[in-house]
């Protein structure tokens, strides 16, 4: 990890501490992650299953889908314990929606070809990479205020590591060749970094506007400046995973 990314992670931890100082802030984060698990990623699985016929791959996709729905319920359970019921997550705060718009509506189109499967699972791959990285910050932050919720994030992070193996294996299985797979993965990582930077700025403004952070006016100006300066550090470092389809179901 480069120095700028380490600095950004340190600043993220500090920002999270201020946000989790209120039940409203805790509920907002949990509402977002629950929504992402239940609706963002979940929308594509039925379309994938309509095209994929291999029994082993169908089993993996079905398990992936079931995990995401289960995770959403786990996060909603954590949110319920805050005693806060936030409004639905606004569309402009949904990372996958931003990424999908940049990528050309991959998630909204029917899956008609093997290459469509590759594209969908590459998008899921970069989302899983981001989730794993973000969950590390969430775990550390919630450990200070709600250990039970932190443990839920730990359990789900373990599943996300498995999902990342699914994404690598299935996207590579349906790629026309290795060169195409590598090129498209690189493209999706660049697009995800851009979408994440934009989403971070939007989340910052939403957080301050709705009183979800303990920061005062001067500190808010500081956070806005830091976000602009560090926005170029949002690209994730690739993670080493297994491509063995026979092993990814475990």
């Amino acid at each position: 990890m480069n120095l700028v990314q380490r600095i950004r992670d340190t600043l993220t931890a500090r920002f999270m501490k201020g946000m989790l100082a209120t039940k409203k802030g805790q509920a907002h984060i949990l509402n977002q992650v629950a929504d992402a698990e239940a609706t963002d990623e979940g929308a594509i699985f039925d379309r994938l299953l309509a095209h994929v016929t291999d029994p082993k791959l169908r089993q993996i996709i079905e398990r992936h889908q079931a995990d995401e729905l289960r995770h959403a319920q786990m996060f909603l359970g954590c949110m319920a314990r805050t005693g806060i019921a936030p409004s639905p997550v606004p569309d402009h705060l949904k990372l996958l929606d931003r990424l999908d718009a940049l990528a050309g509506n991959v998630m909204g189109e029917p899956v008609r070809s093997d290459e469509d499967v590759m594209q969908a699972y590459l998008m899921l791959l970069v989302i899983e990479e981001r989730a794993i990285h973000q969950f590390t910050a969430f775990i550390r932050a919630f450990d200070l205020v709600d250990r039970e919720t932190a443990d839920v994030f730990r359990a789900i992070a373990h599943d996300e590591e498995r999902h990342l193996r699914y994404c690598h294996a299935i996207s590579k299985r349906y790629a026309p060749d290795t060169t195409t797979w590598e090129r498209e993965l690189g493209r999706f990582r660049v697009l995800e970094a851009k979408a994440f930077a934009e989403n971070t700025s939007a989340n910052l403004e939403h957080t301050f506007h709705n009183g979800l952070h303990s920061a005062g006016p001067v500190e808010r100006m500081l956070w806005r400046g830091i976000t602009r300066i560090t926005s170029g550090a949002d690209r994730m470092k690739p993670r080493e995973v297994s491509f063995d389809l026979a092993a990814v179901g475990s």
Side-chain angles (χ1 to χ4, degrees), residues 1-18 133-134 136-137 140-141 144 213 219 223 226 230 233-234:
M1 186 182 299
N2 62 46
L3 177 61
V4 176
Q5 185 62 60
R6 288 200 298 271
I7 293 171
R8 182 178 179 83
D9 288 348
T10 300
L11 292 170
T12 297
R14 181 161 182 172
F15 184 85
M16 289 286 296
K17 183 177 180 181
H133 185 81
Q134 290 295 97
T136 300
R140 291 172 180 168
L144 300 176
H213 196 282
E219 188 179 352
W223 282 118
I226 289 171
T230 61
D234 287 317

Side-chain angles (χ1 to χ4, degrees), residues 31-50:
N31 191 34
Q32 278 193 299
V33 293
D35 181 83
E37 298 280 347
T39 60
D40 286 358
E41 294 181 21
I44 190 60
F45 292 115
D46 287 338
R47 291 195 289 275
L48 286 164
L49 288 168

Side-chain angles (χ1 to χ4, degrees), residues 128-129 132-133 161 164 168 189 237-241:
E128 297 288 2
E129 287 181 332
I132 291 167
H133 185 81
E161 291 279 3
L164 187 59
H168 274 272
R189 282 182 171 142
K237 180 180 179 181
R239 302 175 67 88
E240 294 294 329
V241 298

